[in-house]
Amino acid sequence: MLIYYSDIGDLNSMCGIVGYTGFRPVVDILLDGLEQLEYRGYDSSGIAVKRESDIKVYKAIGKLVNLREEMKKHSGEFEKSTTGIGHIRWATHGAPTVLNAHPHTCNHGNLVLVHNGIIENYKELKAMLEKEGCIFKSQTDTEVVAHFIAKKYDEVKDLTKAVRLATKEIEGAYALCVMHNDYKNTIVATKRNAPLLVGFGEGEFLIASDVPAIIKYTKKAMYLSDNQIVTVTPDSIKLIDKDGVELPQKVELLPWEPVALSKMGYKHFMLKEIHEQPDVIRNNLVGKLHTASEPIVLNEVKLTKDHLKKLNRIQIIACGTSLHAAMVGKYLIETFCGIPVDVEASSEYIYRRTTTDSHTLVIGVSQSGETADTLTAIKQAKSKGSHILIITNRPDSSMAREADSLISVNAGIEVSVAATKSYIAQLMAFYLLSLYMAEIKESLDVSVIQSIKNELMLIPQKIEQILASTDEIQKCARKYSGTKDFIYIARGINLPTALEGALKLKEISYINATGYAAGELKHGPIAMLDDTLPVLSILMKGTVYEKLLSNSEEAKARNARMIALTNSLDPKLDDLFECIIRVPDVQEFLSPIIAVIPLQLIAYYIAEFLGKDVDQPRNLAKSVTVE
Ligand code: AGP
């Protein structure tokens, strides 16, 4: 079903869920778990705890620290509670108010739940429930589910069955954790098109929407599949399908270590993550690129060599920063392998007739592996028989589980909402993949392949050089931090770099930044140029250098404030540009890796100078699990 925003009262999506039943004081576990998810960006939170004779709900708006404060005010009320559920909310529709925050309850307060997702038929259900006398306190779609499950419970007097029957009639996406006052220490959880996993401890179970919330307590976990329902108490677990048939539990060992989310002395996670990029590249080359003369090893690609040679089309689908990595990927694969590649935003891909089939390789790119649009697109392509290759930083994600081939990019956990190191890691996956395919297809001159490989191995040092002296970048950032608009221009393989640089700036500084193909300037955008507008030209040496120089002259002739990001030492640039950021020399094919680093830093320093919330920019969430 298509979702139109106007139809949606509240998208309680992209939220974080934690549940616990066991022997420990539950509030600390829930707050800890929510804190591990909080870096993704949220606006309100809440907790429900089971007490001797009731369920008590606590909520607060704003950051989690506010909920902590709220809990302190009530300490003494829940000391003995060892079962509870918690939630952090990212509102898209419906203000982040206490009433809209989760957990939500039914009218008599006996049933309480937290939800991640969108209930598409909430209006119909709400109308029906209102007729039956339900009174709604919030504007959320979630509250409908609380009333609806409570209604089923009143009929069947069995919480698991009530959840099962209710979710049969609920349309949309959801991960739910439900408690009822009739049950001393029981949580019922289920999901459809939203992630949810159950952690197994000794005499305890944890439920969460993502691993960091539970990893401190256990590495043993079971990912729920769509429409499965799990019922946990401290010493029992039962998994059933939508018809009530009991299922075996597939418990796996999470490939995670509990990591302290530390800034390691950096002011923000974003800056720390920018500085991690040389090592991210090194990690990605280990075991795959040995020497320039040895072939790339990419055992992750499960297509046979014969199939690879016969591939005549590739589609790459992604969103945001991952989409920009995909655009570089297209350039590389088409140039190195001669295979036509379409790149499309997942949100566009899913609502039209696509011509994917078993002869097409479909590549999904996603840092989180949970982005709803990309996940839906992948499932759609898979159902048409395409081989699905996933490039992700989360090998345990929903997308990874759909993959026929999986390239895990090993960037480590990325805390800042603005993607930096995961972008570099995705680029590395595309360099390795395109070279690997070119070697199999013999579609690129061996000497060219070898020169790229040789230089790839030197890239981390070149980035370190940039990171070691950022004075010019900081000066430039300060100089232009007062601007309302910012234009980035580039051509060829660096057009995605311009788009990514602009995206970084608008995400964290809220400046209206736009990336353009420089040749397109004169077809419209040039009308905007005047002496107030900074235009940053990504002028890397290579096939389009002279062309881009001419486009920069055109912009300069309209009095734009010209900035160059370049690896050229050409003295004539001094007359054209009022600010020049020089980067180490690099061949054109590899220039997107080098050129994006100063752009990340410019965005960072401008946002930092403006005093913005760099790591958690307003209105954004790290994992976008709503279409
Ligand atoms: C990047 O800085 C953004 N926060 C955003 O555009 C992101 O890249 C996009 O939402 C896609 O996310 P994914 O890579 O996890 O799929």
Side-chain angles (χ1 to χ4, degrees):
M1 175 189 282
L2 284 175
I3 303 162
Y4 299 97
Y5 278 114
S6 57
D7 287 346
I8 296 167
D10 176 274
L11 298 180
N12 286 312
S13 50
M14 300 192 264
C15 307
I17 289 179
V18 191
Y20 176 84
T21 182
F23 53 88
R24 309 179 208 232
V26 70
V27 168
D28 289 344
I29 294 187
L30 297 180
L31 286 172
D32 268 7
L34 294 178
E35 190 173 306
Q36 294 303 315
L37 302 176
E38 197 198 17
Y39 70 87
R40 293 148 173 256
Y42 292 92
D43 50 50
S44 51
S45 52
I47 276 177
V49 292
K50 178 75 183 83
R51 305 193 305 172
E52 198 59 44
S53 58
D54 66 358
I55 294 175
K56 183 102 179 153
V57 175
Y58 305 88
K59 300 180 185 184
I61 54 169
K63 301 227 171 190
L64 194 63
V65 65
N66 299 346
L67 182 63
R68 281 192 188 278
E69 289 305 314
E70 183 64 20
M71 302 308 286
K72 269 191 209 153
K73 285 187 216 156
H74 298 273
S75 61
E77 291 180 9
F78 40 72
E79 276 159 349
K80 293 194 187 132
S81 297
T82 55
T83 298
I85 53 181
H87 187 269
I88 37 180
R89 175 171 183 248
W90 185 91
T92 53
H93 288 60
T97 59
V98 168
L99 279 183
N100 286 337
H102 300 211
H104 287 285
T105 56
C106 64
N107 279 151
H108 43 59
N110 280 339
L111 185 138
V112 55
L113 58 76
V114 290
H115 165 227
N116 176 13
I118 305 164
I119 306 304
E120 291 171 16
N121 59 339
Y122 87 98
K123 279 188 176 166
E124 295 88 318
L125 291 172
K126 187 173 179 177
M128 180 269 288
L129 289 161
E130 275 175 334
K131 265 191 208 150
E132 294 184 8
C134 282
I135 296 170
F136 284 80
K137 296 186 285 287
S138 76
Q139 291 103 43
T140 65
D141 55 342
T142 299
E143 194 184 344
V144 174
V145 186
H147 292 292
F148 193 46
I149 298 178
K151 170 183 153 68
K152 296 284 178 195
Y153 183 80
D154 289 343
E155 288 161 23
V156 299
K157 295 288 177 220
D158 176 315
L159 186 58
T160 307
K161 195 169 179 187
V163 169
R164 185 169 70 77
L165 295 177
T167 46
K168 276 192 169 188
E169 293 176 55
I170 287 173
E171 290 169 19
Y174 54 79
L176 293 168
C177 279
V178 190
M179 296 195 302
H180 196 287
N181 200 27
D182 289 353
Y183 291 75
K184 194 169 158 240
N185 46 23
T186 301
I187 301 174
V188 179
T190 185
K191 62 144 266 177
R192 189 189 297 156
N193 292 329
L196 202 66
L197 76 160
V198 182
F200 288 61
E202 294 296 324
E204 59 186 351
F205 288 97
L206 294 109
I207 303 176
S209 50
D210 201 359
V211 176
I214 67 165
I215 195 69
K216 188 169 154 191
Y217 302 97
T218 181
K219 283 180 141 191
K220 277 166 64 185
M222 170 177 74
Y223 283 93
L224 289 198
S225 297
D226 283 354
N227 304 316
Q228 291 183 340
I229 301 160
V230 71
T231 305
V232 288
T233 69
D235 46 22
S236 73
I237 178 164
K238 189 172 178 188
L239 183 71
I240 58 169
D241 69 10
K242 63 179 186 337
D243 299 316
V245 177
E246 188 160 356
L247 300 167
Q249 297 148 25
K250 285 191 206 143
V251 182
E252 48 189 275
L253 213 53
L254 298 171
W256 279 66
E257 291 303 327
V259 279
L261 297 181
S262 157
K263 293 185 192 143
M264 309 290 280
Y266 290 96
K267 188 169 177 191
H268 294 100
F269 281 107
M270 182 177 177
L271 191 59
K272 170 180 167 258
E273 286 157 5
I274 290 173
H275 279 262
E276 284 171 351
Q277 294 179 111
D279 282 341
V280 167
I281 295 178
R282 290 186 184 104
N283 285 347
N284 274 284
L285 295 182
V286 170
K288 297 190 170 79
L289 171 54
H290 296 284
T291 62
S293 54
E294 288 173 82
I296 300 277
V297 181
L298 208 53
N299 297 330
E300 291 91 334
V301 178
K302 303 297 181 199
L303 284 167
T304 62
K305 293 199 169 171
D306 196 42
H307 195 162
L308 263 180
K309 280 186 185 163
K310 286 185 185 147
L311 271 185
N312 56 11
R313 186 169 177 220
I314 295 177
Q315 292 180 331
I316 317 181
I317 38 192
C319 304
T321 289
S322 299
L323 183 65
H324 300 149
M327 290 167 77
V328 177
K330 169 187 165 78
Y331 191 101
L332 297 174
I333 296 170
E334 289 191 336
T335 311
F336 296 174
C337 313
I339 305 172
V341 181
D342 304 318
V343 173
E344 197 167 355
S346 318
S347 51
E348 291 300 316
Y349 183 92
I350 48 188
Y351 294 126
R352 64 180 179 80
R353 182 177 168 193
T354 47
T355 49
T356 317
D357 61 21
S358 58
H359 306 294
T360 308
L361 168 64
V362 174
I363 304 178
V365 192
S366 174
Q367 184 282 128
S368 63
E370 299 294 349
T371 301
D373 287 323
T374 309
L375 185 59
T376 307
I378 288 301
K379 286 181 178 170
Q380 202 168 299
K382 195 173 178 178
S383 71
K384 293 186 175 169
S386 306
H387 185 97
I388 304 294
L389 189 159
I390 298 292
I391 295 175
T392 182
N393 196 29
R394 291 293 301 267
D396 55 342
S397 61
S398 303
M399 257 179 248
R401 284 192 291 280
E402 296 292 328
D404 299 307
S405 298
L406 174 65
I407 300 183
S408 176
V409 299
N410 302 321
I413 189 158
E414 190 175 60
V415 174
S416 175
V417 167
T420 53
K421 62 176 179 170
S422 63
Y423 176 69
I424 285 290
Q426 290 166 348
L427 289 187
M428 294 314 293
F430 277 115
Y431 281 100
L432 291 167
L433 178 66
S434 55
L435 290 172
Y436 170 77
M437 294 200 301
E439 285 180 331
I440 290 172
K441 284 178 66 82
E442 297 173 358
S443 50
L444 189 63
D445 200 274
V446 173
S447 64
V448 177
I449 294 185
Q450 292 198 353
S451 85
I452 297 171
K453 285 181 181 170
N454 269 325
E455 206 168 338
L456 256 181
M457 292 187 272
L458 299 175
I459 287 281
Q461 284 154 256
K462 295 187 183 192
I463 297 180
E464 273 159 357
Q465 250 174 280
I466 300 173
L467 295 173
S469 72
T470 58
D471 289 357
E472 198 52 40
I473 297 172
Q474 292 195 46
K475 226 164 74 189
C476 174
R478 196 166 274 246
K479 186 168 176 175
Y480 300 103
S481 59
T483 188
K484 285 202 165 54
D485 307 288
F486 213 118
I487 285 182
Y488 293 71
I489 56 171
R491 297 181 77 139
I493 196 167
N494 276 304
L495 173 58
T497 315
L499 302 179
E500 176 58 11
L503 179 67
K504 283 291 87 78
L505 185 61
K506 60 189 146 200
E507 276 189 296
I508 59 170
S509 73
Y510 320 143
I511 291 171
N512 174 33
T514 313
Y516 289 109
E520 280 293 300
L521 263 193
K522 56 185 171 295
H523 299 289
I526 203 166
M528 295 186 296
L529 304 192
D530 63 19
D531 60 2
T532 64
L533 194 59
V535 174
L536 189 150
S537 182
I538 304 169
L539 203 53
M540 303 300 280
K541 288 189 291 183
T543 43
V544 289
Y545 178 83
E546 292 298 335
K547 296 283 171 205
L548 189 59
L549 204 54
S550 307
N551 300 138
S552 305
E553 299 272 9
E554 290 159 12
K556 170 81 174 175
R558 273 79 190 176
N559 294 323
R561 304 175 71 187
M562 301 303 295
I563 308 155
L565 168 61
T566 186
N567 56 347
S568 162
L569 297 173
D570 185 350
K572 68 173 180 278
L573 301 187
D574 295 336
D575 297 332
L576 181 51
F577 296 96
E578 62 179 45
C579 184
I580 300 181
I581 295 165
R582 288 213 155 79
V583 290
D585 205 9
V586 61
Q587 62 163 293
E588 189 177 17
F589 285 133
L590 298 175
S591 60
I593 317 175
I594 292 294
V596 79
I597 308 293
L599 301 186
Q600 297 169 341
L601 287 167
I602 286 177
Y604 172 78
Y605 286 121
I606 289 182
E608 198 256 327
F609 183 65
L610 295 175
K612 304 293 183 200
D613 189 350
V614 173
D615 287 330
Q616 291 181 15
R618 70 182 184 203
N619 307 339
L620 295 180
K622 187 71 182 159
S623 184
V624 184
T625 53
V626 55
E627 280 181 18

